[in-house]
Amino acid sequence: MSWTFLFFAGLFEIGWAIGLKYTDGFTRLAPTVLTVASMIVSLTLLGLALKALPVGTAYAVWTGIGTVGTALLGIWLLGEPATTIRLACIALIVCGIMGLKFAS
């Protein structure tokens, strides 16, 4: 169950990272409320996952999910460049996340 909590914590991290872009410096109410709510849910789920997972592994996987998801959504939603080197680096992060999962 801890890995499930961690996975969803990572998804909510993506939500608040992308949400920050839409808050316009916390001047837009709806995106700000959704972003802050996503932060709270993400940290709560991370805390639940840490009951059973090592902190180093859980934190690395949480930030990895957030990094990969945010980078991919940045490409898809925000028109950020999808260069070969960038996509290769994202793939390396995914490999690292998988390695940490299999090693624990």
Side-chain angles (χ1 to χ4, degrees):
M1 192 66 175
S2 295
W3 284 101
T4 302
F5 287 145
L6 187 58
F7 174 75
F8 283 103
L11 293 182
F12 278 96
E13 183 189 5
I14 297 166
W16 69 256
I18 292 294
L20 284 172
K21 181 74 171 172
Y22 293 100
T23 66
D24 198 25
F26 297 105
T27 60
R28 297 178 60 215
L29 182 61
T32 296
V33 169
L34 291 171
T35 298
V36 170
S38 191
M39 288 175 176
I40 292 168
V41 171
S42 180
L43 288 172
T44 300
L45 290 170
L46 176 61
L48 292 171
L50 286 173
K51 285 183 169 184
L53 298 174
V55 68
T57 299
Y59 184 75
V61 170
W62 178 67
T63 58
I65 291 169
T67 301
V68 168
T70 302
L72 292 176
L73 283 178
I75 291 167
W76 184 53
L77 293 176
L78 306 173
E80 295 175 359
T83 63
T84 302
I85 192 107
R86 190 168 188 199
L87 295 174
C89 290
I90 291 170
L92 288 171
I93 295 169
V94 171
C95 289
I97 293 168
M98 290 171 38
L100 287 170
K101 167 68 170 115
F102 294 131
S104 64

